């Protein structure tokens, strides 16, 4: 009985399908002096977390409802577009990615499902794939697609699955919303670790491209710059998240 009850708690607001990601070694665009990074095998949500899933979450955990959340964990933009604590506005789709959520709540959401937020390297590793190959970063069409999305307004209102399925069978890494990572503020560093991001202000100017392993990959530079400007309690209308899970040996 207790096992069944525990299972119910785990799946009560979980609808996200996951797919396995085969780990390997890759070279990130920034940081670590272009050192190669080893990615272990893991699983990733096929889609970003939706309004529907997050609505179920805040009903189950009222501390994360808009009127109850502590401002230490979310700014004034948190779920600002919702009609109430447990009701979306008329213009919001249940199947669109949830946005205006802070890192704190995204992190807790994943933990409640026995999952976690992806690291920057895990996210970038999966997101460098197009429909056909695992690393499409040198393809002009791939970067053009991403940059064209950055110019489109209100893509966060589009429903999940409306962009392409990539090599790993993951949707919407590019085309709907930006996504939180567990270590979002550990990028754009020039020292031996990524902890000096707050003092490395030169990396936010145009000349920062000298730190890129691929100078043409401006799309990825934009992602790193956005991450470096965030704080954990920030909530943005085009910032959502998805979860990952370690694969037990």
């Amino acid at each position: 009985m207790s096992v069944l009850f525990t299972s119910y708690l785990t799946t009560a607001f979980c609808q996200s399908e996951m797919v396995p990601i085969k780990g390997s070694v890759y070279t990130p665009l920034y940081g670590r002096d272009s050192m190669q990074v080893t990615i272990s095998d893991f699983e990733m949500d096929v889609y970003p977390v939706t309004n529907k899933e997050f609505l179920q979450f805040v009903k189950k955990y009222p501390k994360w409802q808009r009127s109850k959340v502590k401002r230490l964990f979310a700014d004034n933009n948190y779920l600002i577009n919702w009609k109430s604590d447990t009701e979306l506005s008329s213009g919001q789709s249940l199947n669109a990615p949830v946005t205006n959520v802070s890192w704190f709540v995204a992190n807790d959401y994943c933990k409640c499902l026995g999952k976690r937020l992806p690291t920057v390297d895990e996210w970038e590793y999966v997101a460098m794939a197009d429909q056909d190959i695992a690393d499409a970063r040198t393809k002009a069409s791939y970067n053009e697609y991403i940059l064209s999305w950055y110019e489109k307004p209100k893509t966060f209102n589009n429903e999940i699955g409306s962009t392409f399925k990539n090599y790993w069978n993951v949707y919407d890494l590019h085309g709907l919303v930006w996504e939180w990572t567990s270590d979002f503020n550990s990028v754009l560093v020039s020292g031996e670790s990524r902890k000096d991001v707050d003092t490395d202000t030169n990396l936010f100017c145009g000349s920062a491209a000298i730190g890129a392993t691929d100078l043409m990959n401006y799309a990825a530079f934009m992602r790193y710059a956005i991450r470096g400007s965030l704080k954990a309690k920030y909530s943005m209308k085009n910032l959502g998240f998805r979860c990952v899970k370690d694969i037990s040996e």
Side-chain angles (χ1 to χ4, degrees), residues 180-240:
W180 282 111
T181 59
S182 60
D183 53 345
F184 67 93
N185 56 357
S186 63
V187 296
L188 292 178
V189 300
S190 57
E192 294 181 357
S193 73
R194 291 181 172 180
K195 296 179 181 179
D196 55 348
V197 62
D198 291 335
T199 60
D200 199 5
T201 54
N202 288 334
L203 286 167
F204 291 98
C205 68
S207 61
I210 61 174
T213 57
D214 177 4
L215 299 182
M216 299 300 292
N217 201 341
Y218 182 69
F221 168 71
M222 290 288 290
R223 292 195 298 277
Y224 280 84
I226 284 289
R227 291 183 186 121
S229 68
L230 294 172
K231 293 185 178 180
K233 72 173 186 177
Y234 283 7
S235 303
M236 297 167 52
K237 64 181 179 181
N238 58 350
L239 179 60

Side-chain angles (χ1 to χ4, degrees), residues 131-147:
Q131 296 97 319
D132 303 312
I133 59 176
D135 188 354
R137 289 179 296 179
T138 60
K139 294 173 67 172
S141 59
Y142 167 83
N143 289 300
E144 288 169 1
Y145 169 82
I146 298 172
L147 288 171

Side-chain angles (χ1 to χ4, degrees), residues 14-30:
C14 176
Q15 301 178 28
S16 297
E17 177 187 357
M18 304 192 82
V19 291
I21 307 297
K22 179 66 176 177
S24 185
V25 175
Y26 94 113
T27 303
L29 181 66
Y30 287 98

